């Protein structure tokens, strides 16, 4: 545990920096986190592509009624289409996750991490999507080349998430309250007001 001299911050009325409060991970732990995040995201995008292709295959086979059309349509051609579709789905998955979800993908959500970037910035989302895409297709080699870029991955803000949870709201039924008030005899009201 890191010792912090709080007197310096108290005398100058300064906030304690986040670097003092967050646990520092070693480079090896950080690299396994980044690679684990991208592995989860890779399989998520692969699953999306597989479901899209399976849905397309089944819908086309239902449309093809005659035997000749069914022979002409081969599942192998659809799998070839899947190979061409997967890079587009993977890049789109990263881009829209970063752009619409403020720098967090499904893998980052599971590991409670987030990329620190400007909210809804097209350029930043595109840049991070390219880096994540390159990391997935290079099997993590891109991380060894540009590991300093991934220092922007920070811990998720749990307090904000807790404050923004939807709470159970009880609305007041005014008619029921008015009827309860009318049921109380007026004599009791006058007695309590006089006391």
């Amino acid at each position: 545990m890191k010792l912090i001299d709080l007197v310096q911050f108290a005398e100058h009325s300064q906030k304690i920096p986040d670097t003092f409060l967050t646990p520092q991970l070693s480079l090896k732990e950080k690299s396994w986190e980044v690679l684990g995040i991208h592995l989860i995201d890779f399989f998520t995008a692969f699953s999306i592509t597989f479901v899209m292709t399976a849905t397309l295959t089944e819908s086309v086979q239902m449309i093809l009624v005659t035997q000749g059309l069914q022979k002409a349509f081969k599942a192998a051609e659809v799998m070839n289409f899947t190979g061409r579709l997967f890079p587009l789905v993977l890049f789109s998955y990263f881009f829209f996750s970063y752009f619409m979800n403020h720098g967090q993908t499904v893998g980052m959500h599971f590991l409670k991490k987030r990329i620190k970037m400007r909210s809804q910035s097209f350029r930043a989302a595109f840049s991070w999507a390219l880096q994540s895409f390159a990391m997935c297709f290079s099997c993590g080699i891109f991380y060894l080349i540009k590991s300093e870029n991934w220092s922007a991955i920070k811990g998720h803000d749990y307090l904000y998430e807790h404050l923004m949870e939807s709470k159970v709201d009880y609305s007041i039924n005014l008619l029921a309250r008015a009827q309860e008030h009318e049921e109380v005899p007026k004599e009791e009201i006058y007695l309590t007001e006089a006391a």
Side-chain angles (χ1 to χ4, degrees):
M1 182 172 192
K2 205 182 329 180
L3 295 175
I4 305 170
D5 185 14
L6 296 177
V7 175
Q8 294 175 347
F9 298 106
E11 287 176 351
H12 301 291
S13 298
Q14 294 177 341
K15 288 175 69 174
I16 301 173
D18 291 340
T19 55
F20 288 128
L21 299 176
T22 56
Q24 298 296 319
L25 295 175
S26 67
L27 187 62
K28 186 176 180 181
E29 291 172 344
K30 182 99 169 162
S31 63
W32 282 112
E33 273 189 350
V34 171
L35 293 175
I37 286 168
H38 283 81
L39 186 66
I40 292 170
D41 291 332
F42 180 83
F43 283 116
T44 303
F46 182 76
S47 301
I48 291 169
T49 308
F50 182 75
V51 168
M52 287 172 54
T53 307
T55 305
L56 175 72
T57 304
E58 289 301 317
S59 61
V60 169
Q61 284 183 349
M62 285 175 33
I63 293 172
L64 301 177
V65 179
T66 64
Q67 294 280 340
L69 287 174
Q70 287 180 354
K71 286 180 183 177
F73 179 75
K74 296 176 185 169
E77 294 174 4
V78 175
M79 291 304 158
N80 191 12
F81 176 68
T82 303
R84 293 182 182 144
L85 182 67
F86 180 65
L88 178 66
V89 170
L90 184 66
F91 180 79
S92 300
Y93 166 77
F94 281 121
F95 175 75
F96 288 112
S97 293
Y98 292 142
F99 186 73
M100 304 293 266
N101 204 15
H102 306 289
Q104 190 176 42
T105 62
V106 173
M108 290 180 186
H109 179 72
F110 284 140
L111 295 177
K112 306 291 187 219
K113 298 292 178 189
R114 183 181 297 274
I115 291 179
K116 190 173 185 177
M117 60 182 265
R118 212 171 71 229
S119 178
Q120 302 236 333
S121 169
F122 184 83
R123 177 178 284 167
F126 191 82
S127 170
W128 281 108
L130 276 177
Q131 291 181 37
S132 295
F133 180 79
M135 184 179 300
C136 285
F137 270 96
S138 68
C139 298
I141 296 172
F142 185 76
Y143 177 75
L144 298 174
I145 298 169
K146 296 276 190 174
S147 62
E148 68 275 355
N149 290 356
W150 295 99
S151 63
I153 292 181
K154 304 292 182 196
H156 191 69
D157 190 358
Y158 298 105
L159 181 61
Y160 176 77
E161 185 176 315
H162 178 69
L163 289 175
M164 297 308 291
E165 283 181 354
S166 61
K167 307 288 188 218
V168 177
D169 186 23
Y170 296 104
S171 58
I172 299 172
N173 188 350
L174 291 177
L175 292 175
R177 293 280 177 114
Q179 288 174 353
E180 288 174 8
H181 185 67
E182 287 177 3
E183 290 174 1
V184 175
K186 292 185 179 181
E187 297 169 1
E188 291 182 17
I189 295 174
Y190 292 127
L191 291 175
T192 55
E193 288 179 0

